[in-house]
Amino acid sequence: MQSSDQHLRYVILHHTGFGEPHYDLMFESAPGSTLMTWRAKDWPLAEGDEITPISDHRREYLAYEGPLTNNRGQVRRIATGTCEISSTPSQFTLNLLSPDPQLILLAHLHENHWRVVEVGP
């Protein structure tokens, strides 16, 4: 994945009622794409947190809040806005542009495990 010149959309959902409560960070990888999804134990993220990519999700989650099908709990929107992304095999950068600018830099640890190495304005 290369750096994107277009602003993409993202959403952060708090998922409860199914397993341990967690946060799903979802964002487009290209305009109109399915949502790349990363699971985190806490939000906001902090240096040292581990975050795990999971399967891509439907775009409907950009605007959805409420119960999930098949008794999988419910989600509540924490934040939504625009972002830019870039990546290499060992690093992933997510630049949240709005509403509150924030840079999140992730480093690949092993397999599907990534660590937050920097969070800043």
Side-chain angles (χ1 to χ4, degrees):
M1 183 178 315
Q2 302 289 324
S3 180
S4 172
D5 290 334
Q6 291 186 302
H7 293 177
L8 304 170
R9 294 175 60 197
Y10 78 91
V11 65
I12 297 140
L13 299 175
H14 188 211
H15 188 170
T16 58
F18 186 74
E20 291 292 320
H22 61 272
Y23 295 86
D24 292 323
L25 170 57
M26 304 174 160
F27 50 90
E28 297 175 306
S29 58
S33 71
T34 57
L35 304 178
M36 292 181 74
T37 303
W38 298 63
R39 181 169 291 163
K41 290 181 183 178
D42 298 304
W43 190 267
L45 294 173
E47 287 182 31
D49 287 352
E50 286 195 28
I51 186 168
T52 305
I54 59 175
S55 63
D56 289 356
H57 283 61
R58 294 171 294 165
R59 298 182 51 72
E60 287 80 10
Y61 286 107
L62 285 168
Y64 183 75
E65 287 186 290
L68 300 173
T69 59
N70 299 322
N71 224 9
R72 292 177 294 137
Q74 55 275 340
V75 293
R76 182 174 52 92
R77 192 170 41 252
I78 302 299
T80 188
T82 58
C83 64
E84 296 174 331
I85 60 172
S86 62
S87 69
T88 68
S90 63
Q91 182 176 307
F92 194 94
T93 303
L94 178 62
N95 189 13
L96 305 182
L97 302 171
S98 70
D100 300 313
Q102 182 178 34
L103 176 70
I104 302 169
L105 180 62
L106 305 171
H108 187 242
L109 295 174
H110 56 85
E111 295 180 20
N112 261 356
H113 297 279
W114 292 71
R115 175 165 287 138
V116 178
V117 293
E118 183 179 339
V119 177

